Amino acid sequence: MTSLSIYLLGGVALWVLGLHALLLQRSALRRIMAVNVMGSGVFMVMVALASRSAPIDPVLQALVVTGLVVSASATAFALRLATAGQDDDAAEKDRTAREHT
């Protein structure tokens, strides 16, 4: 088994593991983490495919680096949305509790 096939299999395994968690988890934080694991698997496959030729393909490597930046930004945005939803739920419970007392 070559290193290329090990990286390809590892990337596919990460993607499948992330998909499994995405389908089974109900918590917003765990679902965000599952999407990040899936993205890591995709990046791993892209790096493996970039290194299969003698001169390493710089376009795929540049796409991976760009994807990492976009992934970090999207994760921060998703986490902010998830915490904003929890803040709204907590505020609604507090308002309801005050109205009933």
Side-chain angles (χ1 to χ4, degrees):
M1 193 175 253
T2 64
S3 63
L4 175 66
S5 58
I6 290 173
Y7 281 108
L8 285 173
L9 287 175
V12 170
L14 277 175
W15 191 86
V16 169
L17 181 68
L19 180 64
H20 176 72
L22 183 66
L23 295 175
L24 294 181
Q25 298 297 327
R26 295 289 173 218
S27 170
L29 178 63
R30 289 183 181 185
R31 291 175 69 106
I32 292 168
M33 288 172 46
V35 170
N36 280 334
V37 170
M38 289 175 67
S40 297
V42 170
F43 295 147
M44 197 170 184
V45 168
M46 288 177 71
V47 167
L49 292 177
S51 64
R52 67 185 164 168
S53 59
I56 295 176
D57 187 10
V59 174
L60 279 176
Q61 286 186 338
L63 283 174
V64 169
V65 171
T66 305
L68 288 170
V69 172
V70 170
S71 175
S73 301
T75 300
F77 182 66
L79 288 172
R80 179 60 187 127
L81 287 177
T83 57
Q86 290 175 353
D87 292 343
D88 291 343
D89 291 342
E92 182 66 30
K93 286 179 184 177
D94 289 343
R95 187 173 33 249
T96 306
R98 276 189 240 130
E99 290 174 357
H100 288 50
T101 57

